[in-house]
Structures are given as C-alpha cells and as structure tokens.
Amino acid sequence: MIGVVRFPGSNCDEDACWALSQLGGTVKLIWHRETRLDGVDAVVLPGGFSYGDYLRSGAMAAQSPVMEAVREFAAFGGPVLGICNGFQVLTESGLLPGALARNARPHFLCRSVHVRVERTDLEFTAGYRGRQVLRLPVAHAEGSYFADPETLRALEGRNGVVFRYCDDRGEIEAEAPNGSVNAIAGIVNERGNVLGMMPHPERAVEGELGGDDGVPLLASLLNGLRAAAEAGTTSARTASA
C-alpha cells in the first residue's frame, strides 16, 4: 500500500494515485492531519502548492502532523518519494539537505526538460540505465536547488545526486533551466530511501500525453515493495512506523 499525502493546496495527489494505480499499485490518500501511517509501505509527497506556498514553499507543510509520522517511517527505512512541492517539503522538514529557492529567472517554469540518471542502484531508479536521458515535465517557481559549499561537497561526495538537468544528449549545460547548483534535479538521503525530485514522473506515464519516462521510476518503487513483501521486510518497517 502506497500512501499519498494530501496537504491543503496539493494538486498532484490525484495524478500520483492514478499513475501508481495504472501500474498495479494499491494507493490511499492520507490527510495531512493524520498522525499514523498504518498499513503503508511507501509514502509519496505530491506536487502542488501546499498552504498556498505562504512563507516558503513546503515550509508550512513540513510542520503538518503527518510529517512526524513520515520522519519515523523514513527512519525505519520506509521509502519516501517527494515530487516538486513534495521535494520542497522534504528539505524544509530536514529529511533531505539543501533548499529549493526561486528560479534563477523569476518566472514560473512549466515545460518538459531533460534529466540524466546518475544512480540506478536505488529502489526508485532500478528500472533505468546508468546516464539514461529522460524527458520529464517540470512546473515550479521555486525549484532551484541550493546548498552551502560544505553541504554540496558532502552530497556529491556520497553520490547523493540522482538526477541532473542536461540537454537531449545527456550533456550538462552551463545553466540549469531553473538555476540549480550542479544542475541538480533530484537527490537522495544517505540511506537511499528518501528521494526528492523537481520533475514530475507521475505526469509522464503515457506516450499519448507526451511521454512515459516516469514509468520506470514508479514501477521500480512498486517492484521494490513487492520484493520487500516477499522477503518479509515490508511488514516490519510498516509495523515500526
């Protein structure tokens, strides 16, 4: 069971539920006031504009009651995927380092971009090839990843960057579409079970609607859950959460 958290202002929660369901996943919505994640094997923090992006994007959602349960779930090894606003919530809650600042060019960026897969050893990315170039949509005004030099060195040193913005050949361009440092589009925590990314894989699951490069990511997550269930580890981390 995958729990998709709904905050006031979320608008990609239904998209995430639909995409995961189409790939065979069992999904339920979790209201942000919930304090438990009973029966949940993975958590998705969807895109949108939680709390209207007041204060800072994701800052108020990070204080929602459900986030304490998400922190505990992640601490026990449960997979957590944050997409766009969900990535902002993860940095604001301290589950991932750095921050998402306003785009270098101060306008809302809404188009498809290319990103290069930097890691394929994760539960989220096992379905991709190393350095595979994906075409995924982005839609944000505050998606420019930033971290201080020490944090950035630590992140790069432990191979924590999962996706980088690139051109269609996989080459890193001089400036990322939103100005992200080191062209960072997605990162993972040290344990490898909390992934945040600005592109929207749940909006790229049908060729007829512009592409299906998001399918391997969501399918990899579902396959990982099935493998964990067969190994008897899913119930352990679910019970612990």
Side-chain angles (χ1 to χ4, degrees):
M1 173 77 72
I2 297 181
V4 177
V5 177
R6 172 179 282 171
F7 300 99
S10 295
N11 65 8
C12 298
D13 44 350
E14 294 288 354
D15 292 354
C17 289
W18 185 86
L20 288 163
S21 298
Q22 290 298 303
L23 295 172
T26 303
V27 189
K28 74 172 183 178
L29 283 168
I30 300 174
W31 184 231
H32 75 114
R33 290 190 181 279
E34 295 291 335
T35 58
R36 297 176 59 87
L37 298 173
D38 295 337
V40 168
D41 303 306
V43 174
V44 174
L45 304 180
F49 301 90
S50 58
Y51 292 91
D53 281 351
Y54 291 118
L55 187 60
R56 285 189 312 278
S57 297
M60 296 179 70
Q63 305 303 315
S64 286
V66 73
M67 287 308 299
E68 185 57 37
V70 173
R71 290 186 188 90
E72 294 177 6
F73 182 77
F76 280 106
V80 178
L81 171 63
I83 303 169
C84 194
N85 190 212
F87 186 10
Q88 295 161 341
V89 175
L90 289 174
T91 58
E92 290 287 344
S93 63
L95 283 167
L96 289 175
L100 282 308
R102 293 195 66 81
N103 298 342
R105 294 182 176 84
H107 62 263
F108 192 86
L109 183 67
C110 185
R111 65 179 176 86
S112 291
V113 299
H114 291 98
V115 297
R116 190 175 73 195
V117 180
E118 301 290 89
R119 288 185 62 175
T120 59
D121 61 329
L122 301 168
E123 187 169 350
F124 307 97
T125 58
Y128 293 120
R129 304 185 307 276
R131 299 177 71 83
Q132 183 176 344
V133 177
L134 314 178
R135 186 171 181 270
L136 296 172
V138 294
H140 57 254
E142 298 179 26
S144 179
Y145 183 80
F146 174 81
D148 61 74
E150 182 178 353
T151 300
L152 198 57
R153 279 195 298 272
L155 179 67
E156 295 282 5
R158 64 171 176 81
N159 201 20
V161 178
V162 181
F163 299 108
R164 294 188 203 272
Y165 298 105
C166 65
D167 64 18
D168 59 357
R169 298 168 301 170
E171 299 298 324
I172 304 301
E173 298 178 297
E175 183 180 2
N178 51 20
S180 289
V181 295
N182 291 12
I184 290 172
I187 64 173
V188 70
N189 67 341
E190 192 164 357
R191 188 168 182 173
N193 65 310
V194 178
L195 171 67
M197 59 189 296
M198 289 311 295
H200 286 264
E202 84 284 8
R203 296 186 187 177
V205 295
E206 288 183 293
E208 294 179 351
L209 296 180
D212 55 7
D213 283 351
V215 169
L217 189 148
L218 301 178
S220 294
L221 176 60
L222 292 170
N223 290 337
L225 296 181
R226 295 186 187 104
E230 292 174 2
T233 56
T234 297
S235 59
R237 65 192 183 194
T238 300
S240 298

